[in-house]
Amino acid sequence: MKESLRILFISAEVAPFAKKGGLGDVAGSLPKALKEMGHDVRVVMPAYQNIEEGIANGRYDFKIHPGQLQVPLGGRTFLVGVLESLLPGSEVPIYFIAEKNLFNRPEIYGYADDPYRFAFFSRAALDLSAALAWRPDILHAHDWHTGPAVNWLATSGQTDPNFHGIPSLFTIHNLAHQGRSDWNIQNYLGISPYSLDEEGYGEVNFMARAIFHATMINTVSPTYSREILSPSGGAGLDGLLRHRSYDVHGILNGLDYQEWNPATDARLASTFDSEELAKRQINRRALQERANLPLLDDVPLVAMITRLDFQKGLDISGHVIHSLMNAYAGEAQLVILGSGEAEYERMLAQIASYHTEKMSVFLDYMPELAPLIYGGSDMFLMPSRFEPCGLGQLIAMRYGSVPVVRATGGLVDTVEDGITGFQFQEYDANAFWHALQKAINLFHTDKEGWQRIQQAGMKADFSWQRSANGYQQLYRWALARIAG
Ligand code: ADP
């Protein structure tokens, strides 16, 4: 089998161009690691409004190919422009599908026509490879938005000489979002109905279709890849996933070590490495000042940075924050950075209003503040209900903040209980509080033991190199499957 693979990498989010969560981080980092391994990887994403604006004001350096790509959909042929650039800091080509009616909008998602938007994107991304006369060895598609590409490639695409025999790897970043659409979208995409359970429900489910049709499937941690096979973790698709369980793998996400490095991070008040933990004190002070908290040294400074979402364990956090702020485990300080659902914003603002001396809440998305919180806090809370991989705990460990996490998904695979952090099993406030108390107790009673945990976390390897090796293996298995 040849060494260097041509990988067509398609995603609705690619950092730094467009990012809502872990998907964007993965799509912005993994291709670079694959390129460094010698693969010819090309990334395709939609040209959202911020990207079109970035070109107009000179923020991004692009080549523009106006109206050159032919995309056959819904019985007609669309002509769309394509923008071309490089993933920042790399030689990886990235192409943007510039269909203004569909993508030149302020948000990435959240529109009634999302299934049609991403069906268009999926087809255009495949057609682009043909237009470039660049036949990929494999399609690597991510989350439901690229499900139409997997579906088309495995069915109608097999009758097209440009696409015949190309396998796909489908990566599930979050099973909760599935991309449901009306039946007509099949005609639009040019795919024939296929016997899937979903057909009884009179709707198309692109997550389900991608799981059904992909040559190989993976999720972003080994534990999550097992959890989704059970009714409690399968979001209604566990039956289908069990049907394909032999082909479902788990590969942990890596962390972008260029972006997240406490030894070079200019967003910190002081840089530091694992041998210079004392310098974290400067960040702690800066954080306390920024958060308007008393400049105390010997109380644990506990932090949380999160989307305020059902997934993230905010409902069990209410009781725990209450106990922490009422000093049931001794004095503590708490800083929370988060944005999202109004009910959680209200809850946090209300608790904070009772404890202004100890607690500070930033209800906003503030990437410039996050590093200081990671680098200045003692403990980082992640009580997720479910967590496909999670980046927060990886960044916290890298920055010497000890994670206290629920034992679910990627949190199980990355935080070692008592070695790099603290875990609790049951999704309830008591279990969470017990784990946090354990952490606080160690913080107070055993400074050396505490530093050992910090240093073990800082030295753990979550580089993309490690993950990229795993993906390379899956590409090869998918190719062998098609050949075999
Ligand atoms: P998810 O992708 O489910 O939101 P992850 O833990 O995988 O969770 O990734 C979260 C990322 O988003 C981390 O880099 C975290 O620092 C960042 N983040 C989350 N909320 C905020 C916020 N309000 N402000 C700044 N960064 C945030």
Side-chain angles (χ1 to χ4, degrees):
M1 193 173 287
K2 62 181 189 166
E3 288 297 306
S4 166
L5 300 176
R6 290 177 162 196
I7 304 155
L8 177 61
F9 196 103
I10 67 175
S11 173
E13 299 179 27
V14 182
F17 300 106
K19 169 185 156 177
K20 283 272 176 194
L23 168 62
D25 288 312
V26 173
S29 307
L30 175 58
K32 295 188 208 171
L34 291 165
K35 180 85 179 177
E36 279 166 22
M37 294 171 84
H39 298 298
D40 180 2
V41 50
R42 302 193 183 190
V43 182
V44 188
M45 70 175 290
Y48 303 109
Q49 192 172 73
N50 71 309
I51 292 159
E52 301 258 12
E53 285 170 0
I55 300 167
N57 64 27
R59 185 165 162 228
Y60 298 133
D61 187 17
F62 283 80
K63 270 197 255 168
I64 300 177
H65 311 273
Q68 285 179 344
L69 180 63
Q70 298 188 4
V71 186
L73 276 169
R76 54 176 285 213
T77 299
F78 292 83
L79 280 181
V80 287
V82 175
L83 312 168
E84 181 185 346
S85 189
L86 293 174
L87 265 186
S90 79
E91 293 298 311
V92 178
I94 176 163
Y95 301 89
F96 301 82
I97 303 299
E99 165 50 48
K100 288 198 185 337
N101 287 330
L102 298 178
F103 303 123
N104 195 351
R105 302 183 189 178
E107 299 296 330
I108 301 176
Y109 316 115
Y111 301 100
D113 60 349
D114 278 357
Y116 283 84
R117 295 171 71 223
F118 291 107
F120 187 99
F121 165 63
S122 290
R123 220 15 248 276
L126 288 168
D127 289 321
L128 176 64
S129 70
L132 293 170
W134 182 83
R135 183 186 154 91
D137 293 309
I138 187 161
L139 169 72
H140 189 172
H142 299 263
D143 271 355
W144 78 261
H145 329 99
T146 58
V150 174
N151 189 172
W152 185 86
L153 182 66
T155 54
S156 308
Q158 290 306 302
T159 61
D160 183 329
N162 284 322
F163 298 103
H164 176 75
I166 298 176
S168 59
L169 170 66
F170 181 64
T171 301
I172 300 169
H173 298 262
N174 195 333
L175 200 58
H177 304 287
Q178 300 184 353
R180 297 193 167 90
S181 179
D182 62 79
W183 218 228
N184 291 331
I185 203 162
Q186 295 191 104
N187 297 330
Y188 178 73
L189 252 180
I191 48 177
S192 49
Y194 212 92
S195 70
L196 257 187
D197 287 350
E198 47 153 11
E199 286 170 6
Y201 299 100
E203 64 174 8
V204 170
N205 178 325
F206 278 124
M207 178 63 87
R209 278 171 179 252
I211 292 166
F212 187 82
H213 287 294
T215 315
M216 207 61 77
I217 300 156
N218 82 291
T219 66
V220 290
S221 70
T223 298
Y224 188 64
S225 77
R226 290 187 292 273
E227 288 171 349
I228 60 174
L229 302 180
S230 72
S232 61
L237 299 182
D238 48 291
L240 181 59
L241 283 158
R242 280 196 300 278
H243 168 70
R244 300 239 28 207
S245 61
Y246 185 71
D247 297 322
V248 178
H249 301 269
I251 298 179
L252 268 183
N253 285 340
L255 188 61
D256 186 334
Y257 278 4
Q258 275 173 2
E259 184 186 359
W260 296 106
N261 181 356
T264 56
D265 194 332
R267 301 165 297 186
L268 291 169
S270 169
T271 56
F272 60 96
D273 63 28
S274 58
E275 303 308 320
E276 304 171 316
L277 284 176
K279 286 193 183 171
R280 292 185 87 253
Q281 181 68 10
I282 301 166
N283 294 308
R284 180 193 173 88
R285 276 290 152 96
L287 176 58
Q288 286 168 326
E289 277 170 16
R290 183 82 196 269
N292 224 357
L293 294 172
L295 305 180
L296 300 175
D297 289 337
D298 49 1
V299 302
L301 205 173
V302 182
M304 210 169 171
I305 303 178
T306 184
R307 283 187 293 121
L308 299 176
D309 180 271
F310 174 78
Q311 174 190 339
K312 298 295 183 180
L314 279 312
D315 43 0
I316 61 171
S317 299
H319 297 284
V320 170
I321 295 172
H322 177 79
S323 301
L324 185 69
M325 293 293 89
N326 284 299
Y328 295 142
E331 291 300 331
Q333 294 181 333
L334 179 63
V335 175
I336 298 179
L337 169 60
S339 61
E341 286 174 25
E343 64 173 301
Y344 298 129
E345 294 199 354
R346 266 198 308 276
M347 172 186 95
L348 292 175
Q350 191 174 21
I351 308 180
S353 73
Y354 299 138
H355 303 286
T356 48
E357 281 286 289
K358 299 180 184 176
M359 175 173 174
S360 198
V361 176
F362 299 86
L363 297 175
D364 201 353
Y365 191 83
M366 302 170 79
E368 72 294 346
L369 177 61
L372 193 60
I373 298 180
Y374 288 117
S377 61
D378 300 305
M379 290 161 211
F380 187 81
L381 308 181
M382 226 159 141
S384 304
R385 190 185 292 268
F386 66 94
E387 195 61 74
C389 177
L391 282 178
Q393 83 280 17
L394 301 184
I395 305 171
M397 283 190 272
R398 184 110 170 110
Y399 280 59
S401 185
V402 175
V404 178
V405 304
R406 161 121 199 280
T408 183
L411 296 168
V412 177
D413 300 325
T414 54
V415 176
E416 289 184 80
D417 192 29
I419 299 189
T420 58
F422 294 86
Q423 288 190 2
F424 61 96
Q425 298 290 328
E426 293 304 315
Y427 185 76
D428 72 44
N430 273 338
F432 182 12
W433 176 235
H434 187 69
L436 181 55
Q437 272 183 308
K438 234 162 92 178
I440 291 174
N441 190 34
L442 187 74
F443 174 87
H444 282 305
T445 58
D446 182 359
K447 288 285 172 216
E448 275 178 23
W450 186 257
Q451 284 195 2
R452 261 199 307 281
I453 291 189
Q454 286 180 298
Q455 286 172 329
M458 292 184 78
K459 289 176 182 164
D461 176 13
F462 298 109
S463 66
W464 268 110
Q465 212 45 53
R466 199 173 97 151
S467 313
N469 282 325
Y471 279 100
Q472 175 175 264
Q473 185 63 53
L474 287 191
Y475 297 150
R476 296 207 185 286
W477 283 341
L479 280 158
R481 174 72 56 82
I482 286 274

